[in-house]
Amino acid sequence: MISKKAKYAIKALKVLTEEYRKGPVLIATISARENIPKKFLEAILLELRNHGILQSQKGKGGGYLLRVGPERVNLAQVVRIIDGPIAPTPCVSLNFYVRCDDCKDEETCAIRPIMQQVRDANLSVYETTTLQMLVDSVRT
C-alpha cells in the first residue's frame, strides 16, 4: 500500500502534467484542485524538486512545474522518492535490499518467492505508467 503522502504526490504531479508547458502552478492551485493540505503539499513538492522531478520559480508568476516531460516520469520513480522501497519485504527489494533478520535461510523461505511475485506485479504497473499516461487515462 502506498502512503497518503505518495498518493498526494501523484495527484499533485497529475495537475502539473495537465498544466505542462503552460508555466508554473501555484501550490494553492494544486492544493485546491486536489484537496491536499497546503503545508503537507509544500513538503511533498520540495522533495520532488530535490530529486529532479520538479523545478520551482519564485516571485510573481512563480510556482512549480515539471523539470522533465511527463512521458519520462513513471510512478515507480515517484513512489520510491516518497515512500522508499516498493517491495513488500526488504529481502526482495531491488534497490534497498536488506536480509530479513528473522529469516534463517532465504533459499528455503516459503514467503520470499511470493513477495517477489508481489513486487514484480507492482513494478510492472508502476514502471510502465507514466505521468502522461495517468492524465490521458482520466481524459478518455
Side-chain angles (χ1 to χ4, degrees):
M1 175 171 22
I2 65 170
S3 67
K4 185 173 269 192
K5 185 177 178 183
K7 185 177 177 183
Y8 285 163
I10 293 167
K11 290 173 88 173
L13 289 167
K14 180 183 77 68
V15 172
L16 293 170
T17 297
E18 291 167 343
E19 301 300 323
Y20 187 60
R21 297 194 190 274
K22 297 179 186 174
V25 181
L26 295 171
I27 291 173
T29 302
I30 300 168
S31 174
R33 274 175 60 176
E34 294 298 329
N35 196 28
I36 303 170
K38 197 172 167 188
K39 281 289 185 195
F40 198 27
L41 181 59
E42 288 174 8
I44 293 167
L45 296 177
L46 184 61
E47 196 167 346
L48 292 169
R49 189 198 74 183
N50 290 342
H51 281 87
I53 303 287
L54 301 179
Q55 67 184 53
S56 60
Q57 291 182 0
K58 294 184 180 199
K60 186 176 167 113
Y64 280 90
L65 59 158
L66 291 171
R67 177 172 276 163
V68 296
E71 72 285 347
R72 293 182 48 212
V73 179
N74 66 50
L75 295 185
Q77 293 168 280
V78 177
V79 172
R80 282 188 177 118
I81 288 168
I82 302 298
D83 284 351
I86 292 171
T89 57
C91 67
V92 298
S93 179
L94 297 176
N95 297 317
F96 304 95
Y97 170 85
V98 175
R99 183 179 169 85
C100 295
D101 57 2
D102 61 337
C103 189
K104 194 163 134 181
D105 178 21
E106 285 183 353
E107 297 303 316
T108 59
C109 178
I111 297 169
R112 191 167 193 259
I114 294 165
M115 294 301 110
Q116 286 174 320
Q117 290 177 16
V118 170
R119 176 206 62 207
D120 292 346
N122 282 330
L123 280 175
S124 72
V125 174
Y126 289 150
E127 289 181 336
T128 59
T129 305
T130 66
L131 297 178
Q132 189 62 56
M133 292 167 69
L134 182 70
V135 169
D136 291 345
S137 71
V138 172
R139 289 181 181 155
T140 58

